[in-house]
Amino acid sequence: MDYLVEYLTKGFVIMLMVSLPCVLVAAGIGLVVGILQAVTQVQEQTIAAAPKILLVFLTIIILGSWYIKVLTDYVRQGTNLAFEVIPKTESFVLPPNYYKHSKPFMDEMYDTIKKNNQVENIMKNPGKIPWAEKLESAKYRPANKTANPTPNLIEKNKIMGR
């Protein structure tokens, strides 16, 4: 459990490390443009957007290889932790003999399934749809499997222009 808490903590630190340069650049540009707007008394909100987008994009391009290195190292550590470290510590979520706790209920469930006549019918006739009543089975028929199936009533009316 300590491994997982440590791994999650490292994930939050990496998330801050990756996002902090972009946020600081955007905040710095916003501050500079805000001061320039106050000095020139030009109060247009869209002026700050273009430099922010451009410089944040440039920051991502410049630091992109470092971002990829940090994130791939984090993923490698996670997979190593998941497949090498945790299975060898023998601290599982469920105990290895968990099945013995569910065994008494298995007999009850088997009896319930066995008593149901419809289940036996399904098992004897695989691939056939079970119907609750005979009238329901009359409503549903398999589709025509000819090369050119006949149109239904709505399609016939559209073809005839009615």
Side-chain angles (χ1 to χ4, degrees):
M1 190 65 166
D2 294 334
Y3 296 118
L4 297 176
V5 172
E6 182 180 336
Y7 186 70
L8 286 174
T9 305
K10 189 169 189 172
F12 283 121
V13 169
I14 287 174
M15 180 181 57
L16 289 173
M17 284 174 31
V18 167
S19 64
L20 194 63
C22 295
V23 171
L24 288 178
V25 166
I29 295 300
L31 182 67
V32 169
V33 170
I35 291 171
L36 288 175
Q37 283 181 337
V39 169
T40 60
Q41 294 183 356
V42 175
Q43 298 299 324
E44 183 62 34
Q45 297 296 323
T46 57
I47 293 175
K52 279 185 190 178
I53 291 171
L54 182 67
L55 287 173
V56 167
F57 184 68
L58 228 106
T59 304
I60 291 172
I61 289 175
I62 292 169
L63 297 176
S65 61
W66 177 72
Y67 288 163
I68 291 172
K69 182 184 176 299
V70 168
L71 292 172
T72 53
D73 288 344
Y74 181 67
V75 170
R76 281 192 189 122
Q77 287 176 358
T79 53
N80 182 35
L81 184 69
F83 295 112
E84 297 293 328
V85 176
I86 291 178
K88 291 180 182 173
T89 60
E90 297 181 7
S91 59
F92 298 106
V93 177
L94 296 174
N97 60 354
Y98 176 74
Y99 66 90
K100 77 174 188 177
H101 300 294
S102 60
K103 189 72 174 163
F105 301 111
M106 194 63 186
D107 295 333
E108 295 173 10
M109 292 304 294
Y110 183 76
D111 290 340
T112 306
I113 292 171
K114 205 63 171 160
K115 288 177 185 174
N116 192 346
N117 197 13
Q118 190 175 11
V119 173
E120 289 178 12
N121 189 19
I122 292 171
M123 297 302 282
K124 288 179 185 174
N125 304 314
K128 296 194 178 184
I129 301 171
W131 303 102
E133 296 178 13
K134 293 291 183 191
L135 294 176
E136 286 185 16
S137 65
K139 291 180 191 175
Y140 301 99
R141 294 192 186 124
N144 293 337
K145 295 186 179 179
T146 60
N148 294 319
T150 58
N152 62 16
L153 181 66
I154 297 171
E155 292 171 339
K156 282 181 183 177
N157 287 339
K158 283 185 181 178
I159 291 170
M160 299 304 227
R162 294 183 201 164

